[in-house]
Amino acid sequence: MEMSEKSIILLAEDEFEDIELLYPLLRLREEGIRVTVVGTGNKDSYTGKHGYTIDIDENANTINVDDYDGIIVPGGWAPDRLRTNIYIKKIISDMALDNKVIGCICHGASVLVSARVIKGYKLTCVDSIIDDVINAGGDYTSEGNVIDRNIVSAKIPGNLPQFMKSILEFLYA
């Protein structure tokens, strides 16, 4: 399948970590991958921790996961809002059941915790949610980037280049 036929959901909510949303967005678009920015439905645009505003393309309650090859969850404080949304959790859960790529950066792993998809998976995250990951049955590691089956995780923004390389390798496979 050509990359131009691939499609990824990129989640957004207020106080996302700007670079953790923008870097994947731009990198995927460079590859010709269709990126759909999805929000919780609270508003039409969201503002990052450092002031960047992004418009959403769809609300989570309108998403059909069959139309997508994967999802990326940026960090910042946005995951605290994303993880309480039933539609976001359903999207993540359905992606996991379909073995589609699920990427999470920094605090983004907390959304996977709430969607109950990390039991038995090795992954990394920012230090403040290590206990959440372990208590949800995840196998935490302090590595910067981790690939375990269909879940790709990055610890901090400095890990984004390898994270995106791993996401693209999954999509090319």
Side-chain angles (χ1 to χ4, degrees):
M1 183 180 281
E2 301 261 338
M3 276 302 175
S4 60
E5 297 174 17
K6 297 287 185 176
S7 185
I8 293 285
I9 292 170
L10 183 58
L11 294 180
E13 240 297 351
D14 279 332
E15 298 190 72
F16 59 86
E17 181 60 50
D18 299 47
I19 195 167
E20 293 176 12
L21 185 144
L22 294 172
Y23 188 95
L25 174 71
L26 297 174
R27 189 68 194 91
L28 291 165
R29 285 183 176 165
E30 282 177 349
E31 292 292 326
I33 297 168
R34 182 173 63 94
V35 180
T36 303
V37 179
V38 174
T40 58
N42 294 332
K43 45 171 89 173
D44 295 329
S45 65
Y46 297 101
T47 304
K49 287 173 58 178
H50 306 287
Y52 187 84
T53 299
I54 186 124
D55 293 334
I56 63 151
D57 300 310
E58 297 274 344
N59 289 320
N61 65 337
T62 66
I63 294 298
N64 178 353
V65 296
D66 294 338
D67 297 336
Y68 297 93
D69 300 294
I71 188 166
I72 294 177
V73 186
W77 304 126
D80 284 348
R81 294 174 175 87
L82 293 166
R83 72 187 299 188
T84 63
N85 183 283
I86 60 169
Y87 301 107
I88 297 289
K89 290 187 282 189
K90 174 113 172 75
I91 292 167
I92 298 280
S93 177
D94 289 349
M95 291 269 180
L97 287 172
D98 292 344
N99 207 33
K100 295 181 179 184
V101 68
I102 300 171
C104 59
I105 310 156
C106 203
H107 288 86
S110 67
V111 181
L112 279 60
V113 166
S114 293
R116 301 174 189 256
V117 299
I118 66 165
K119 187 173 185 173
Y121 278 84
K122 180 179 175 184
L123 68 157
T124 192
C125 61
V126 67
D127 291 350
S128 63
I129 62 167
I130 292 171
D131 291 344
D132 294 344
V133 166
I134 293 169
N135 291 335
D139 179 14
Y140 169 76
T141 177
S142 63
E143 296 171 44
N145 282 282
V146 178
I147 305 164
D148 188 352
R149 292 163 278 173
N150 62 314
I151 295 180
V152 179
S153 56
K155 189 171 185 75
I156 58 172
N159 301 120
L160 282 166
Q162 181 59 46
F163 172 80
M164 286 310 302
K165 182 179 177 200
S166 300
I167 294 284
L168 291 169
E169 286 172 356
F170 189 96
L171 291 172
Y172 279 117

